[in-house]
Amino acid sequence: MKLPEDSLGERFGASRTIIRQALERLSVEGLVELRHNRGAAVAQPSLEEARDLFELRAQVEDLVIARLGAGLTKAQERALLDHIESEEAASDGPPAISIRLATEFHILLAELTESPVLIRYVSEIGYRCGFTLSQFSRPHSTHCGIQEHRDIVAALKSGDAATAQRVARQHLDQVAARAQFNGADFNGFSHLDALEPYASTVRAKG
């Protein structure tokens, strides 16, 4: 799918200069291909790239959970549960929105560690995995994933980091298993919806 700068600027309310900068950032993160004299287009990951992304994501999120292993504060627990409620409210809507919210649950976990390194890498890897799923995942119910998020929060609340890590690993394994990664059939989703997290950042800086 092509990503014309003028259409993106109109959709996200940003100048072509800002859109070009955002596309360059997305290119560095592997989400967009910048083609000489042909503009930008959505990147298509290979099977090997997709597998590596999900394995790397699981290992980084192990570190996040270990950092939170001493237990959650009431404020942290409330923030996570509020986010899960947002996931539930969106579960019957567009798949790209549900995928984005599910990804942002994991980013919220990283933010609770207050580690800039973990926040950065979970965000970048998480959005890239979410974008891949938006393109190639099979239709499925989101309710299982939401319950797994609740199970992660419950384990962290009790200070059981090992259980939280096990549930998170199984959860990510199931998410990866739903992906086809063969490029044969694209879902009818909006790439612009999947790019919204990046657009929000651009708007904030603009």
Side-chain angles (χ1 to χ4, degrees):
M1 177 182 178
K2 293 182 179 180
L3 296 170
E5 293 175 5
D6 53 351
S7 296
L8 291 172
E10 182 178 350
R11 165 65 187 268
F12 295 125
S15 69
R16 292 188 67 168
T17 299
I18 296 298
I19 291 296
R20 191 174 298 116
Q21 292 173 353
L23 290 172
E24 289 172 354
R25 174 186 166 186
L26 291 168
S27 176
V28 171
E29 295 181 19
L31 295 173
V32 163
E33 294 177 359
L34 297 180
R35 305 171 300 181
H36 184 61
N37 293 330
R38 292 190 296 159
V42 175
Q44 290 184 236
S46 68
L47 175 61
E48 183 177 359
E49 288 171 340
R51 286 172 173 166
D52 287 346
L53 275 173
F54 275 91
E55 179 58 33
L56 182 59
R57 179 179 175 182
Q59 293 190 27
V60 172
E61 292 195 20
D62 265 352
L63 294 176
V64 169
I65 292 174
R67 188 68 63 87
L68 297 173
L72 299 173
T73 66
K74 289 188 178 299
Q76 289 174 329
E77 180 189 8
R78 186 69 264 161
L80 290 167
L81 293 178
D82 285 347
H83 187 87
I84 291 172
E85 288 179 7
S86 298
E87 293 182 64
E88 291 178 328
S91 61
D92 295 324
I97 302 301
S98 292
I99 291 171
R100 192 180 79 217
L101 287 170
T103 299
E104 290 172 351
F105 169 83
H106 296 266
I107 293 171
L108 178 56
L109 284 173
E111 290 174 346
L112 295 181
T113 70
E114 299 183 349
S115 165
V117 172
L118 290 177
I119 294 169
R120 174 187 173 185
Y121 284 104
V122 170
S123 297
E124 291 185 4
I125 297 169
Y127 278 134
R128 192 167 174 184
C129 287
F131 196 70
T132 300
L133 287 171
S134 294
Q135 294 182 76
F136 302 121
S137 64
R138 294 187 295 273
H140 66 282
S141 169
T142 60
H143 295 290
C144 291
I146 292 172
Q147 182 56 50
E148 288 159 1
H149 285 177
R150 289 193 177 278
D151 292 342
I152 292 169
V153 173
L156 284 173
K157 180 183 177 181
S158 67
D160 189 350
T163 295
Q165 286 174 321
R166 177 177 54 78
V167 173
R169 167 67 75 158
Q170 291 173 346
H171 169 59
L172 291 177
D173 286 346
Q174 288 297 316
V175 171
R178 290 195 292 265
Q180 298 172 117
F181 298 138
N182 55 21
D185 297 303
F186 284 86
N187 291 326
F189 85 107
S190 167
H191 289 83
L192 300 183
D193 284 339
L195 289 169
E196 178 62 30
Y198 293 93
S200 300
T201 303
V202 168
R203 288 196 198 99
K205 292 181 178 179

